[in-house]
Amino acid sequence: MRRREFITLLGGATAAWPLVARAQQRDRMRRIGVLLPAFPDDPVWQARLGAFLQGLAILGWGIGQNLRIETRWATPNITEIRRHSAELAALAPDVILAGGGSSVGPLLESTRTVPVVFTVVNDPVGAGHVDNLARPGGNATGFMSFEFSLSAKWLELLKQMAPRLMRVAVSSGCDTKLCDEQFCRCPSRGAVAWCGSDPDQHARRGRD
């Protein structure tokens, strides 16, 4: 139940809570861990953290009053991300906010009890972070950047716009198997015709 309450808080839906319940929430000092896979002087991530803190303040959560924030700037280095993940998990906060997809896996390796809310993950089911979208299970939940299966629809739309198109090159900075599966893993009928009998081979060919 604690996990659901904090997801509601992070999503900005606490205005719907009964006033008495919200007052009781504020009477207790809460602790939120924040893991950011960036450098402290990164202006983009500074702005995101600032917006998050501003949203909490608007909802009545004040740092040092009813809320403590444990922020870790882990840098993009995976070793540092893992180190700070373990450090935050050891603090046992009420919830940990995972900024960026690269921080979710290390956090789940560090704790299976502290709720983890991720902000943007392309395919949380394929990555193994959650069981399914309707019922995440475990201790992780959050937000997707887009519906993963839409990637197959993009191929279908390309084929409709240019029927003679036979080959598509995909430029991606992703180095995981999710990128290989993205365009043909859950294809629509049109994308099946586009990908042919071996969607995985087509996906790999598209990255050449």
Side-chain angles (χ1 to χ4, degrees):
M1 191 64 182
R2 180 181 61 176
R3 177 171 71 104
R4 293 182 179 179
E5 292 173 356
F6 266 84
I7 295 170
T8 303
L9 178 142
L10 296 174
T14 49
W17 289 358
L19 294 179
V20 174
R22 292 175 65 184
Q24 291 175 348
Q25 291 284 343
R26 297 192 185 107
D27 288 341
R28 174 188 164 192
M29 179 69 75
R30 300 282 183 150
R31 177 185 286 185
I32 298 178
V34 178
L35 181 63
L36 304 176
F39 292 99
D41 58 352
D42 188 314
V44 174
W45 284 98
Q46 284 182 345
R48 291 175 179 176
L49 178 60
F52 173 65
L53 297 178
Q54 183 180 21
L56 290 175
I58 292 174
L59 295 172
W61 298 91
I63 297 178
Q65 301 173 5
N66 52 15
L67 184 68
R68 291 183 60 184
I69 301 288
E70 300 286 351
T71 304
R72 297 294 184 273
W73 294 90
T75 78
N77 185 290
I78 188 60
T79 301
E80 288 299 298
I81 292 175
R82 289 195 178 99
R83 182 174 71 85
H84 286 292
S85 294
E87 185 177 304
L88 280 176
L91 295 176
D94 292 282
V95 66
I96 299 177
L97 178 65
S102 62
S103 59
V104 183
L107 280 171
L108 294 180
E109 291 173 0
S110 299
T111 178
R112 285 294 180 177
T113 56
V114 177
V116 174
V117 178
F118 49 82
T119 54
V120 178
V121 173
N122 288 341
D123 183 18
V125 177
H129 301 328
V130 299
D131 295 335
N132 59 69
L133 298 182
R135 297 183 179 277
N139 62 317
T141 190
F143 304 90
M144 298 173 62
S145 54
F146 61 90
E147 172 54 45
F148 197 72
S149 61
L150 284 178
S151 301
K153 186 66 176 180
W154 297 342
L155 289 177
E156 182 181 348
L157 291 175
L158 279 175
K159 189 64 173 179
Q160 291 176 358
M161 290 185 293
R164 296 183 179 180
L165 192 64
M166 297 301 296
R167 185 168 182 170
V168 175
V170 178
S171 177
S172 173
C174 181
D175 59 357
T176 69
K177 66 178 182 178
L178 296 180
C179 292
D180 289 324
E181 300 173 350
Q182 180 175 358
F183 289 93
C184 294
R185 199 187 67 177
C186 300
S188 60
R189 181 179 302 176
V192 168
W194 166 259
C195 291
S197 59
D198 188 359
D200 291 332
Q201 182 179 5
H202 179 89
R204 290 192 296 271
R205 191 182 304 136
R207 294 184 65 201
D208 292 342

